[in-house]
């Protein structure tokens, strides 16, 4: 059974940091590209950051560049998002996503999300 379990969210003040984790199971994590998405109230879900299967390449939304860092530990089947200098506009539910495409099929898995609230 495929499972992506996010953790590490919470309530922080502007300027503080959080580290999100996503524990994966039930699929070959190390060959999947992984991403973090977020969805704020009343807004569409947006891509925050993504990382290739081996962790060689990363990509970030302009709004988080220089503040967030995505990483993965394939030995532990875990994805991370280090979030520094948090702003109120970073408030959202953060979701972990795993994706892989072959010639014949596409795989797309989502976690349940973890709430991040940035407020003074």
């Amino acid at each position: 059974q495929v499972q992506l379990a996010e953790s590490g969210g919470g309530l922080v003040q502007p300027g503080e940091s959080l580290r999100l984790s996503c524990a994966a199971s039930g699929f070959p994590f190390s060959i999947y590209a992984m991403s973090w998405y977020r969805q704020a109230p009343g807004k569409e879900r947006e891509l925050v950051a993504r990382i290739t299967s081996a962790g060689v390449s990363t990509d970030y939304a302009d709004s988080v560049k220089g503040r967030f860092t995505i990483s993965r530990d394939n030995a532990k089947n875990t994805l991370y998002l280090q979030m520094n200098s948090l702003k109120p506009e970073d408030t959202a539910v953060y979701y972990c996503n795993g994706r892989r495409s072959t010639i014949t099929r596409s795989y797309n898995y989502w976690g349940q999300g973890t709430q991040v609230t940035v407020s003074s």
Side-chain angles (χ1 to χ4, degrees), residues 4 27 32-35 96-100 107-110:
L4 291 172
F27 67 100
Y32 274 65
M34 298 298 297
S35 302
C96 175
N97 171 263
R99 188 167 301 176
R100 177 174 178 252
Y107 302 83
N108 191 22
Y109 303 134
W110 290 95

Side-chain angles (χ1 to χ4, degrees), residues 33-101:
M34 298 298 297
S35 302
W36 286 100
Y37 285 74
R38 67 186 181 187
Q39 187 167 18
K43 295 188 177 181
E44 293 188 354
R45 191 172 296 189
E46 63 172 354
L47 176 66
V48 175
R50 55 190 176 190
I51 187 168
T52 54
S53 57
V56 173
S57 180
T58 58
D59 193 22
Y60 297 90
D62 288 342
S63 59
V64 306
K65 279 182 181 176
R67 300 188 297 122
F68 290 11
T69 302
I70 189 171
S71 62
R72 64 191 297 162
D73 186 336
N74 285 345
K76 295 182 178 179
N77 287 355
T78 304
L79 178 72
Y80 303 100
L81 184 68
Q82 178 66 43
M83 305 186 295
N84 298 330
S85 302
L86 282 161
K87 304 176 181 180
E89 51 263 44
D90 295 317
T91 295
V93 177
Y94 284 71
Y95 297 91
C96 175
N97 171 263
R99 188 167 301 176
R100 177 174 178 252
S101 293

